[in-house]
Amino acid sequence: MAAAMLTSSFLGLGAARPVTKLPKTNGSRVVMKAGNWLPGSDTPAYLEELPGSFGFDPFGLGSTPANLQRFQEAELVHCRWAMAGVAGALGAELLGQGDWYQAPLWAINGGTPTYLGIPVPFSLSTLLAIEFVAIAGAEAQRNAEPDAEKRKYPGGAFDPLGFSKDSKVLEENKLKEIKNGRLAMLAFVGFIAQHSATGKGPIEALKAHLADPWGANFATNGVSIPYLT
């Protein structure tokens, strides 16, 4: 009888316990945004809509709107130059035209400028004058544009394939550009440090590393880690 009473007590407790039901969903998906650079930190309101910000502004330098626009524009310009520089450095070496460090030495040693091995019929002063006029003209046109977004993403003749026509694709491309640009800036810093340590271009250094991974790396070049070798 005691067992029967105990059993009925458990059944009573079970029956009295409320059943928790999960709320019904409307079929929508929850999309999580990319995490911040510092886990647990909040993204400043002024960085919410910027592509690739990841909430990074520990000193609040972009809290002033004019400064934020200027910093964003400067970063994009540096990113684009870095991507062009990295592509040029790798391309020249892959095509057998020497490494990027040796390329401008003709101007110091009094040699003849070449492009992919073909002599260029201009002196150094003429080349500098052409470069100055071309870049100064482009920068003057860009700075004359009052719209900050058009200064950063001009479109028009600079978008012959019409990638900016679809707003969703444009936002994706903005994120891809800033990520690749930041990677390119780091890559070129790596090129400089690598040549200072080994005297080799990136392709030559990569070939040496692949041929002997344990014998040719940052720990064995005698510069990156002092006193190790």
Side-chain angles (χ1 to χ4, degrees):
M1 185 172 180
M5 291 176 63
L6 185 61
T7 302
S8 62
S9 298
F10 276 119
L11 288 174
L13 289 172
R17 184 177 297 139
V19 177
T20 302
K21 293 184 179 181
L22 294 174
K24 294 182 179 181
T25 64
N26 59 3
S28 62
R29 295 176 59 193
V30 177
V31 179
M32 302 296 289
K33 77 171 187 177
N36 279 359
W37 71 281
L38 182 64
S41 65
D42 295 325
T43 300
Y46 55 86
L47 296 180
E48 282 286 356
E49 302 301 323
L50 292 188
S53 76
F54 301 103
F56 183 80
D57 189 12
F59 300 110
L61 300 178
S63 56
T64 303
N67 288 344
L68 182 61
Q69 290 287 353
R70 182 165 57 86
F71 293 151
Q72 189 185 11
E73 184 177 348
E75 183 182 29
L76 275 171
V77 172
H78 282 82
C79 282
R80 289 163 183 166
W81 276 113
M83 287 188 285
V86 167
L90 295 176
E93 193 170 352
L94 285 171
L95 293 173
Q97 301 301 314
D99 66 74
W100 65 272
Y101 188 85
Q102 303 294 326
L105 292 184
W106 64 268
I108 299 173
N109 300 329
T112 302
T114 61
Y115 183 77
L116 297 179
I118 303 172
V120 177
F122 300 109
S123 65
L124 176 60
S125 57
T126 302
L127 290 174
L128 290 175
I130 293 173
E131 181 178 357
F132 176 81
V133 171
I135 293 180
E139 284 298 288
Q141 289 291 326
R142 186 171 65 86
N143 290 324
E145 173 57 59
D147 189 321
E149 281 300 303
K150 288 184 179 179
R151 284 203 307 272
K152 291 177 290 190
Y153 305 102
F158 295 96
D159 184 22
L161 299 180
F163 289 122
S164 61
K165 292 181 178 179
D166 187 324
S167 59
K168 182 179 179 181
V169 173
L170 176 61
E171 292 304 313
E172 292 176 356
N173 287 337
K174 286 180 180 180
L175 181 59
K176 290 177 181 178
E177 180 184 38
I178 198 68
K179 285 184 173 182
N180 281 282
R182 289 166 180 166
L183 180 61
M185 288 191 286
L186 288 174
F188 208 88
V189 171
F191 289 178
I192 296 171
Q194 180 185 62
H195 194 278
S196 298
T198 66
K200 299 177 180 178
I203 303 298
E204 184 182 2
L206 177 61
K207 289 180 179 178
H209 173 68
L210 293 177
D212 184 13
W214 294 105
N217 55 66
F218 78 98
T220 63
N221 60 39
V223 176
S224 298
I225 304 180
Y227 310 112
L228 186 62
T229 56

